[in-house]
Amino acid sequence: MSRSFFHLHLVSDSTGETLINVGRAAAVQYEGISAIEHVYPLVRSAAQLERVISEIEAAPGLVLYTLVEEALNARLEAACRESGSPCLSVLQPVHSLLQSYLGVETKARPGAQHMLNAEYFKRIDAMNFTFAHDDGNLPDNLEEADVILVGVSRTSKTPTSIYLANRGLKTTNYPLVPSAPFPPQLLKVRKPLVVGLLASPERIVQIRQNRLLSLHADEGSLYVDRDAVAEELAASRRLCLKHKWPIIDVTRRSIEETAAAILDLYKEHRLRLVAL
């Protein structure tokens, strides 16, 4: 099936992350249609906005924006009308609803969500911890971790750990290797949530084969043998069931979906700890 394309202009007075996520989440719902993204972050002056408007006029399309300065909003909207480019303030409906509910006026603060508050430093601390304790590099005190991921090679442990760290959770991961002794300290942890990651043998073999090809390595090993991989996964499942660790099958899950499931499990885990 042939694909069609449209220009999607994302104009932000901050990093543009909100717009990128909203735009992509919406655009992906339309099969056979792809967005050509034009991202304009940190647009906070009239001169910067005029440069953006020039690009919109050169490639008319859909315009999404998050600008809190009224003068910039008005200028962008007027330019979009002139060029025939539909535009929408992504945050305005949310601001209106909040204002109606809370009964207070908003204050224009570009990039306010990225202020250096306690939550920001918590994420940075979690990222540093996670990078330092990746792929079996367990911390001296495992109780410092919030989440511990275990699973055979190529079950997305590292990218999932990094995503969780960006949400403020100190995460470490441990690869399950055939015939390798399992760290006894992992069996004694109380504070961290231990989660097992699994996937189908076919999926693991496919990812491992691609990995070996990228490294120009030999493919004739147990590492990519379907039966050997199936046994690895079965042993991993038995280990998790024995210690009553929750299991997540990542075969058809994105990193974001896996992380979301872990975050839900972590909330329940913390509630149980508080109740003890």
Side-chain angles (χ1 to χ4, degrees):
M1 180 178 63
S2 61
R3 301 191 69 82
S4 59
F5 299 87
F6 70 98
H7 292 284
L8 177 61
H9 298 273
L10 306 172
V11 189
S12 174
D13 52 23
S14 186
T15 62
E17 293 175 16
T18 300
L19 279 174
I20 292 171
N21 290 333
V22 170
R24 290 178 179 175
V28 76
Q29 305 300 321
Y30 297 89
E31 187 175 358
I33 303 175
S34 296
I36 301 172
E37 293 181 357
H38 307 265
V39 183
Y40 315 98
L42 302 174
V43 178
R44 298 180 180 179
S45 72
Q48 291 171 326
L49 182 59
E50 290 305 320
R51 288 194 289 271
V52 171
I53 289 172
S54 295
E55 296 204 26
I56 293 173
E57 291 173 342
L62 183 65
V63 179
L64 302 179
Y65 65 93
T66 53
L67 302 174
V68 299
E69 292 290 343
E70 287 299 328
L72 298 182
N73 281 339
R75 173 64 183 123
L76 178 60
E77 291 171 0
C80 286
R81 284 194 297 271
E82 293 174 7
S83 66
S85 296
C87 66
L88 175 69
S89 172
V90 170
L91 293 181
Q92 187 55 48
V94 181
H95 283 316
S96 298
L97 182 62
L98 282 171
Q99 184 173 321
S100 174
Y101 182 76
L102 298 175
V104 295
E105 294 289 334
T106 61
K107 292 184 178 180
R109 293 187 298 167
Q113 72 271 32
H114 299 294
M115 292 177 64
L116 302 185
N117 54 20
E119 190 66 25
Y120 172 84
F121 289 107
K122 179 183 177 183
R123 292 201 307 272
I124 295 300
D125 191 32
M127 290 291 286
N128 289 335
F129 178 93
T130 300
F131 279 123
H133 302 105
D134 179 42
D135 199 27
N137 294 316
L138 301 178
D140 294 332
N141 181 7
L142 267 178
E143 295 296 331
E144 294 179 26
D146 296 311
V147 175
I148 301 171
L149 304 180
V150 297
V152 305
S153 171
R154 304 295 112 185
T155 46
S156 303
K157 297 183 297 300
T158 293
T160 303
S161 296
I162 294 172
Y163 190 97
L164 291 171
N166 195 45
R167 296 294 298 273
L169 296 185
K170 294 181 179 179
T171 309
T172 186
N173 65 81
Y174 189 84
L176 300 178
V177 180
S179 304
F182 192 76
Q185 64 267 37
L186 265 176
L187 306 178
K188 302 175 183 178
V189 293
R190 178 179 177 274
K191 174 181 170 287
L193 167 70
V194 183
V195 179
L197 301 184
L198 294 177
S200 69
E202 292 76 16
R203 179 60 176 160
I204 295 297
V205 168
Q206 179 187 37
I207 297 174
R208 289 183 179 184
Q209 286 175 334
N210 291 337
R211 173 68 171 167
L212 291 179
L213 283 173
S214 68
L215 297 174
H216 304 289
D218 179 22
E219 294 187 45
S221 68
L222 292 178
Y223 185 67
V224 291
D225 180 81
R226 200 271 180 199
D227 292 337
V229 170
E231 178 51 38
E232 281 186 60
L233 291 165
S236 175
R237 182 182 293 275
R238 288 193 297 269
L239 176 71
C240 293
L241 292 175
K242 178 180 178 180
H243 298 288
K244 299 181 180 179
W245 296 332
I247 298 171
I248 297 177
D249 189 328
V250 303
T251 304
R252 298 185 181 279
R253 290 179 185 258
S254 66
I255 300 300
E256 294 84 356
E257 290 171 329
T258 301
I262 294 171
L263 286 167
D264 285 340
L265 290 170
Y266 181 74
K267 291 175 184 176
E268 297 173 3
H269 177 71
R270 293 298 298 166
L271 288 175
R272 287 195 295 270
L273 289 181
V274 171
L276 293 178

